[in-house]
Amino acid sequence: MTETTAAKPLLIKMHELDNVAIVANDGGLPAGTQIDGGITLVDKVPQAHKVALVDLAEGEAIRRYNVPIGYALKAIAAGSWVHERLLRMPPARELEGLPIATVKPAAQAALEGYTFEGYRNADGSVGTRNILAITQTVQCVAGVTEFAVQRIKSELLPRYPNVDDVVALEHTYGCGVAIDAPDAIVPIRTLRNISMNPNFGGEVMVVSLGCEKLQPERLLPPGTIAITDERQADKGLDVVCLQDAAHVGFMSMIDSIMRQAEIHLARLNARRRVTVPASELVVGVQCGGSDAFSGVTANPAVGFCTDLLVRAGATVMFSEVTEVRDGIDQLTSRAATPEVAQDMIREMAWYDAYLKRGQVDRSANTTPGNKKGGLSNIVEKAMGSIVKSGSSPISGVLAPGEKLARKGLIYAATPASDFICGTLQLAAGMNLHVFTTGRGTPYGLAAVPVIKVATRDDLARRWHDLMDINAGTIATGEKTIADVGWELFQFMLDVASGRKKTWAEHWKLHNSLTLFNPAPVT
């Protein structure tokens, strides 16, 4: 007998009223397998996919998480493989008549005494890394800036051992865009706020071409940045403009960038880590390459950790509009105030209209990999995505590109795209990122450490030097959700302190910044 057929059937049911369960066994289960309840599998059911626990009539709701994730397109016998081709997706929940701030969870005891070693900034924020970031006003300068950054890393950075890295904030914006369109504020404020991310220590340096629409003074108007160095205060914003007449030849541009970079490197190098409370963590949580285990193992563990962080006074952002849209009633009911609930509804309505202009809806979110991993549609995916937010009251809402102004659990409205979501969470001020995956992705960010959480044992085994935490042990019963949640919490403090590096940092893996630009391109 093969390992698959010999294995004891392991099925996971999320709620007692569910009429489907997912197969947890590596390799799935073959037809003919006897499962609990005296049911015999009619079909071979792949790992993470659903099996019918009862006979389902045509039109009957398929329930997972005690939520109708779809309606049967034909009769489905108990023991059958239930996949996306057998389901009709429910319509989106209307944004009227929602429960508003109705859930009032009992206050949990504050989690005190937890600290990390971070870099305290002049504005009161705290960095987990000490990085020189070079902002760009336009994509045209990206090649020049990258050339300079490579020379800075090889020639200058070794002389400043307390500086972790030098990164170019490359993007595809700045010119050829309708820069005065109403929605143009989204990419502009995103770039502005990324430049002030806590991991950059308040050292803002800009490379400009000169003729672009997004001029430096528009990107970073006077008063946006607190210039703490008296010598720099007299000069204002530190800008290297490539079209300046003083630049004769390519190397003069590079020399200018390097000369200015060294001034910032010297100031960053004088900084030292200090002990700060865990309340200074600003954590963005996200999932990508999701599978049906995401909502069973990794995301619930992140949700448990989210509650720990909120109890410790920290800030946690969850995002991805289309991946929470089908649970909007769960979110508005958890809003701390009616105003917060209305802010969430506003962001959902804006995004509904945005998708409608493109003649698509939320169903366009689900990928072939999601479906191969057992997620039939966006409704099922959303139910597993929301649990990253834990159970704490939602204390605030951010529109795309906005910067955090309060602590606690925050809903930061973003597209579900991994790269765009990460970029917007950077702009909001995150100093640590948690990313769950079931199918696997080498995603990373240069500006903040990214902790990767695997949903399955098999992924953690095969990608052992890319995944930081294995939540697959929850599915096998080796660990509880609380066990993995605490493991993640402790790992966060170590990573934030620089005592440990994530695998993405180890391999220097990072994705490009990807701006959300809903305004027209001219």
Side-chain angles (χ1 to χ4, degrees):
M1 297 176 69
T2 66
E3 183 180 347
T4 298
T5 57
K8 179 182 177 181
L10 179 58
L11 275 71
I12 299 176
K13 184 177 172 181
M14 298 306 294
H15 191 277
E16 62 179 6
L17 297 181
D18 289 353
N19 52 24
V20 294
I22 68 165
V23 172
N25 300 77
D26 284 346
L29 292 172
T33 301
Q34 297 288 318
I35 62 175
D36 290 344
I39 299 170
T40 300
L41 294 190
V42 176
D43 309 298
K44 177 182 178 182
V45 183
Q47 185 188 37
H49 283 253
K50 295 174 288 297
V51 58
L53 300 177
V54 297
D55 292 332
L56 299 166
E58 181 179 347
E60 186 172 351
I62 285 79
R63 303 188 74 86
R64 188 164 181 247
Y65 301 97
N66 194 28
V67 169
I69 63 169
Y71 298 92
L73 291 173
K74 64 178 184 179
I76 302 173
S80 297
W81 174 18
V82 180
H83 49 74
E84 73 275 5
R85 296 182 299 280
L86 297 178
L87 304 184
R88 173 175 57 84
M89 192 172 78
R93 173 72 185 262
E94 295 293 333
L95 295 178
E96 291 83 31
L98 293 166
I100 303 295
T102 54
V103 174
K104 304 295 182 184
Q108 297 192 54
L111 202 59
E112 299 177 340
Y114 290 93
T115 63
F116 69 98
E117 305 301 308
Y119 294 96
R120 178 72 71 179
N121 297 317
D123 65 358
S125 66
V126 173
T128 61
R129 295 294 183 265
N130 191 29
I131 297 171
L132 171 61
I134 301 179
T135 298
Q136 300 168 74
T137 56
V138 67
Q139 168 64 206
C140 306
V141 305
V144 175
T145 308
E146 181 58 26
F147 188 97
V149 165
Q150 293 308 314
R151 281 195 55 186
I152 293 167
K153 286 183 176 182
S154 63
E155 299 174 27
L156 300 181
L157 194 56
R159 303 209 299 262
Y160 300 98
N162 294 321
V163 181
D164 294 310
D165 203 359
V166 180
V167 301
L169 301 182
E170 182 191 351
H171 57 86
T172 56
Y173 195 72
C175 211
V177 294
I179 202 161
D180 293 315
D183 291 336
I185 187 59
V186 173
I188 294 172
R189 72 186 175 202
T190 300
L191 285 172
R192 177 181 302 150
N193 289 332
I194 286 176
S195 299
M196 297 181 286
N197 184 276
N199 284 0
F200 302 152
E203 295 294 329
V204 180
M205 175 181 170
V206 181
V207 175
S208 161
L209 181 59
C211 60
E212 63 270 26
K213 290 183 180 178
L214 185 59
Q215 290 288 301
E217 58 272 15
R218 182 164 189 170
L219 173 61
L220 295 160
T224 301
I225 299 168
I227 300 174
T228 55
D229 185 86
E230 293 180 2
R231 293 164 296 177
Q232 189 61 37
D234 295 335
K235 301 177 183 178
L237 188 64
D238 185 3
V239 180
V240 175
C241 179
L242 302 188
Q243 290 177 349
D244 279 355
H247 290 137
V248 179
F250 175 61
M251 280 304 156
S252 71
M253 302 175 189
I254 302 301
D255 290 344
S256 292
I257 295 171
M258 293 183 68
R259 183 167 54 250
Q260 293 307 116
E262 190 153 22
I263 295 170
H264 296 281
L265 287 170
R267 292 201 288 256
L268 288 170
N269 195 60
R271 288 154 52 85
R272 296 293 184 273
R273 289 186 182 271
V274 296
T275 301
V276 296
S279 58
E280 299 296 350
L281 286 174
V282 181
V283 180
V285 299
Q286 190 188 167
C287 50
S290 301
D291 67 359
F293 280 105
S294 295
V296 177
T297 61
N299 289 350
V302 170
F304 184 92
C305 185
T306 291
D307 287 343
L308 294 179
L309 289 163
V310 173
R311 287 173 57 195
T315 304
V316 182
M317 291 178 284
F318 70 107
S319 299
E320 303 166 290
V321 172
T322 53
E323 295 184 15
V324 302
R325 175 65 175 81
D326 282 279
I328 181 60
D329 55 325
Q330 299 177 36
L331 302 183
T332 56
S333 62
R334 283 172 56 201
T337 66
E339 291 75 20
V340 171
Q342 291 301 326
D343 287 345
M344 276 189 278
I345 293 169
R346 178 199 69 217
E347 293 304 323
M348 296 295 157
W350 185 94
Y351 211 85
D352 283 354
Y354 167 72
L355 291 177
K356 188 175 181 180
R357 289 200 302 271
Q359 299 182 26
V360 297
D361 62 20
R362 74 205 197 286
S363 66
N365 170 287
T366 322
T367 69
N370 294 154
K371 293 176 180 178
K372 191 173 181 180
L375 294 172
S376 295
N377 55 36
I378 187 57
V379 182
E380 183 178 11
K381 186 178 181 182
M383 293 306 109
S385 175
I386 284 174
V387 294
K388 297 193 303 294
S389 67
S391 61
S392 301
I394 301 167
S395 61
V397 177
L398 295 178
E402 287 185 338
K403 190 176 181 181
L404 284 163
R406 66 181 66 188
K407 290 182 177 289
L409 179 62
I410 306 293
Y411 178 66
T414 76
S417 159
D418 299 346
F419 332 113
I420 299 176
C421 177
T423 300
L424 289 169
Q425 289 185 341
L426 276 176
M430 98 175 147
N431 55 23
L432 195 63
H433 201 28
V434 177
F435 191 101
T436 68
T437 183
R439 304 299 296 169
T441 169
Y443 168 90
L445 294 170
V448 299
V450 177
I451 298 171
K452 305 287 275 301
V453 184
T455 72
R456 299 178 294 126
D457 279 353
D458 183 61
L459 176 64
R461 175 187 59 80
R462 290 185 296 108
W463 287 30
H464 58 90
D465 52 1
L466 287 168
M467 298 292 115
D468 300 294
I469 301 286
N470 176 22
T473 51
I474 296 169
T476 59
E478 297 170 58
K479 293 183 180 179
T480 66
I481 289 170
D483 291 337
V484 179
W486 274 108
E487 179 185 356
L488 177 59
F489 180 77
Q490 296 287 358
F491 188 68
M492 282 182 184
L493 297 178
D494 284 339
V495 170
S497 299
R499 292 188 291 267
K500 292 182 179 178
K501 284 189 175 182
T502 67
W503 279 114
E505 286 185 292
H506 174 81
W507 299 119
K508 300 188 183 302
L509 298 177
H510 65 268
N511 294 91
S512 297
L513 297 178
T514 308
L515 297 181
F516 180 36
N517 179 25
V521 176
T522 61

